[in-house]
Amino acid sequence: RKGGKKKAPELKVDSFVNEVEQLEPIPPPNPPLVFPFPLEGAGPYLCSQGVGGSLTHFYQETLHAIDIECPVGTPVLAVGAGEVVSLQHSNQCGGIHVQNL
């Protein structure tokens, strides 16, 4: 061929998704819920992924998660009445993960 260009291969895509269920949106609370910032200290703190983030927050279990980067040892505060009794750091991930980019 002239110019050395190759023809792109044909691509066939199959899907097992037959139907998509549209869920009704949940109305926001009235009055809106306001929570204090959950980390103690001057910061600044980087929010590396927010609610519904496209990297890993599209699963039901993580949809409402917020990832905040902070130094080890930063005190974590309860955002409501009570106290923080445990913290968990997990390297488990599925799908696209920021550490793999």
Side-chain angles (χ1 to χ4, degrees):
R1 295 182 183 237
K2 288 185 176 183
K5 293 186 178 181
K6 295 181 181 180
K7 182 179 177 183
E10 290 186 28
L11 178 66
K12 181 180 178 185
V13 177
D14 290 323
S15 174
F16 60 87
V17 177
N18 295 323
E19 296 179 21
V20 176
E21 181 182 350
Q22 180 68 35
L23 300 176
E24 293 293 323
I26 298 172
N30 190 8
L33 298 174
V34 178
F35 298 103
F37 193 72
L39 299 176
E40 191 174 84
Y45 299 112
L46 173 66
C47 178
S48 58
Q49 189 173 190
V51 172
S54 61
L55 294 174
T56 59
H57 292 180
F58 46 81
Y59 298 108
Q60 181 179 357
E61 298 83 10
T62 60
L63 183 64
H64 301 287
I66 298 175
D67 297 343
I68 303 171
E69 294 184 25
C70 62
V72 172
T74 300
V76 177
L77 308 173
V79 296
E83 63 183 68
V84 176
V85 294
S86 71
L87 298 173
Q88 178 180 353
H89 180 269
S90 172
N91 288 328
Q92 296 175 355
C93 66
I96 299 172
H97 191 271
V98 70
Q99 292 177 339
N100 299 330
L101 298 178

